[in-house]
Amino acid sequence: MADNEKLEQDFNAWNAKVEKANEKYPERKKQFVTGSNASVNRVYTPLDQGDFDYRTQLGLPGEFPYTRGVQPTMYRGRFWTMRQYAGFGTAEESNARYKYLLDQGQTGLSVAFDLPTQIGYDSDHPLSEGEVGKVGVAIDSLADMEVLFDGIPLDKVSTSMTINAPAAVLLAMYIAVAEKQGVSPEALNGTIQNDILKEYIARGTYIFPPSPSMRLITDIFEFCAKQVPSWNTISISGYHIREAGSTAVQEVAFTLADGIAYVQAAIKAGLGVDDFAPRLSFFFNAHNDLFEEIAKFRAARRVWAHLMRDRFGAKNPKSWMLRFHTQTGGSTLTAQQPDNNIIRVTLQALAAVLGGTQSLHTNSRDEALALPTEEAVRIALRTQQVIAYESGSAETVDPLAGSYYIESLTDRIEKEVLTYIKRIDDLGGAVKAIEQGYVQQEIQDSAYAWQMDVEKGERIIVGLNKFQVRENAPKGLLRVDPEVGERQKRKLAALKETRDAASVEKALVSLRNAARGSDNLMAPILDAVRVYATLGEICGVLREEFGEYRPNVMF
Amino acid sequence: MERKIRVLVAKPGLDGHDRGAKVIARALRDAGMEVIYTGLRQTPEQIVSAAIQEDVDVIAMSILSGAHNHLFPRVVELLKEQGVDDVLVFGGGVIPEEDIPFLKSKGVAEVFGPGTPTSKTIDFIKTNLKRTLS
């Protein structure tokens, strides 16, 4: 204490001197803020740490509260999984891109589905017109899934699938493809996103209302706990919340509030917290403010560990650990001078690594313009490899711990996240807060404030509102073959000719009955995909039984 | 006195990225316009019917899925079929520059890419309205 008093005297004297000099040589700005508009001090010292306690606030890597990382040795054991989100056109084209990426040293797959697939429509549905194969691969049935993973041994790779409302169907298809390869469900590694709440908040590919959606999710938790024990049953996502314009604090707060809602739903469905919580995983964004982003990841781990242990009484340390995937920030990329995006992605990827991510997708420089070309994807992957092999960032665990600034940011984010969680609890939890539009409104306010700051020049985006140059239209962008839709329709028609119609009919009836009752839906869905019922047929039955979500539109 | 400009901000297609649409909607409202936002997943038919029902001067569409070449021209076509020729139709989103001439040839008045300031969109509307405000 006496030390701190002395330091405080020194600090005040120093500050007075600096303020005086400031009158003559002012600093660049009156106020300095983080990427999320939080105020930043001139310098950080032990005075900013209050009653800092190393053992309770940081602890050691791999130990509660996991501020320093979920594994004891982190990247000294092995690097994070380098996982590029990819998929477009038909299953054949995407299969070729996956093989290319694996060949280039990528260590896990990440499947992007087209919008009709994500919303549970077959390629021949009227609403699919113009969208088939555009932002991801088109999957109508198990037949497409067999092609997608052709020649890729599913017991050797881990596969992440960005699929939410119809997650149960795509997981069932994955299990069925594995069966055909002779791989049992216990041997499968991977993740389904399966996070419907952030679809209502920010991403938009919802189908069913909250209640049956939560049932589908807890059915998956239960099924996987028994049959696919190494599968990450959900990836609770802040990524899209941030892309929609939230601050770093809001990203963590709303994601963890969604996490709380899933835990509560599963407990309510009769599951034991330690039976499903070890398989929960998370997905965050990484934006440009290096220090704030690093602190964000550290704070998220600490808050979740306390929530799981203290609020939900989880006993298994694996239930306390917040494991997460990171993707660099798509909304930070500029269409202007797109090569500059390589540098942005490097900073963001570094933040993810210094923040202890388990896997990482680095965006490609051309993604403000179109889906990435093969060359752009290779640079993005090489960015991760340079950080891993050349930067020295992976050689020790949590290298920035103890930085007065980093710890101060971590504490602040933790505190503000807890305030938001309390507010959402008071509103009745995440589902209620979303239905009332509270979460969406908070995000929209941040998004609008950001846009106005950029337009007023209070926030500089290099190449966009400063350092502009005259540019020619970019050449050589990736274009999805417009014939994909027709090809996919023909494949679907041929499938419907050749499959056993009676078995399909029978499987869909069983599914309908299960949906009306309370049995776990995974078994009837698996039966239906095995006989080549289509995604649209399966989701169609569930749409009829569950109804569709109607959002509360506002801006 | 001049009446307010009425704008329909619309999200055609299936993509759920409406940060841009909402920011634009709010900026237009702050600029004194009356703004209606359709919400996600609107078919061209729904957009045109909302535009006619709300008697708007402007349809501003946002799309990020790559389906613009299919969906934007369809909206213009349907307006024509309904005998409406005085509504200003434009769009924005992740749209390659090389697609813009095609979209303009189909009657889409302008296409704004990522990074466009809202002030530019506001000016564009004010100077290109097809209807009078008196």
Side-chain angles (χ1 to χ4, degrees), chain A residues 23-252:
Chain A
E23 287 165 19
K24 216 164 153 194
Y25 305 105
E27 291 175 327
R28 279 185 290 114
K29 298 185 278 192
K30 283 241 174 322
Q31 222 202 344
F32 289 78
V33 294
T34 67
S36 291
N37 254 346
S39 114
V40 179
N41 297 344
R42 182 172 291 134
V43 70
Y44 289 80
T45 69
L47 295 173
D48 296 292
Q49 295 198 306
D51 305 323
F52 177 77
D53 181 65
Y54 180 87
R55 291 184 63 245
T56 56
Q57 283 172 262
L58 301 188
L60 290 162
E63 291 180 18
F64 193 88
Y66 305 101
T67 313
R68 306 203 61 183
V70 292
Q71 293 124 2
T73 61
M74 288 301 289
Y75 309 134
R76 290 166 65 102
R78 70 175 186 83
F79 290 128
W80 60 93
T81 303
M82 299 179 192
R83 193 193 295 279
Q84 298 295 94
Y85 183 48
F88 58 93
T90 58
E92 285 82 358
E93 287 168 284
S94 293
N95 177 265
R97 175 70 69 98
Y98 298 155
K99 286 178 174 160
Y100 169 81
L101 284 166
L102 291 170
D103 209 43
Q104 292 294 314
Q106 172 163 303
T107 48
L109 294 177
S110 175
V111 182
F113 296 101
D114 72 357
L115 286 162
T117 305
Q118 294 189 49
I119 301 173
Y121 294 128
D122 284 339
S123 300
D124 59 359
H125 192 282
L127 284 171
S128 304
E129 198 71 35
E131 305 273 15
V132 175
K134 281 281 167 29
V135 303
V137 59
I139 299 292
D140 290 323
S141 74
L142 179 59
D144 294 323
M145 206 69 163
E146 288 164 3
V147 173
L148 188 65
F149 293 106
D150 180 56
I152 299 171
L154 298 189
D155 52 345
K156 300 280 190 318
V157 294
S158 79
T159 303
S160 169
M161 292 190 277
T162 298
I163 194 74
N164 293 279
V169 185
L170 274 300
L171 173 61
M173 287 182 185
Y174 193 80
I175 292 170
V177 172
E179 279 168 358
K180 294 195 173 210
Q181 289 188 359
V183 175
S184 73
E186 300 90 73
L188 294 176
N189 280 287
T191 308
I192 39 175
Q193 199 161 76
N194 198 24
D195 171 11
I196 200 67
L197 294 178
K198 68 88 177 54
E199 297 295 329
Y200 301 139
I201 296 174
R203 192 169 173 277
T205 66
Y206 42 73
I207 304 176
F208 315 113
S211 165
S213 294
M214 295 303 264
R215 171 188 171 188
L216 276 165
I217 290 166
T218 52
D219 281 358
I220 291 171
F221 289 180
E222 185 189 25
F223 173 85
C224 288
K226 291 178 191 146
Q227 317 258 350
V228 206
S230 302
W231 198 263
N232 296 312
T233 52
I234 192 167
S235 174
I236 307 166
S237 306
Y239 184 81
H240 319 88
I241 290 172
R242 189 70 179 278
E243 287 301 285
S246 85
T247 63
V249 166
Q250 289 168 338
E251 176 190 357
V252 174

Side-chain angles (χ1 to χ4, degrees), chain B residues 5 7 9 14 20-21 24 27 32 35 38 40 45-46 67-69 84-85 96 98 101 105 109 123 128 131:
Chain B
I5 301 172
V7 185
V9 173
L14 300 181
I24 287 278
V35 183
T38 61
L40 303 177
E45 288 79 6
Q46 287 170 316
H68 47 268
N69 283 347
V84 179
D85 60 359
E98 58 194 39
S105 78
D123 289 344
N128 289 280
R131 295 174 170 182

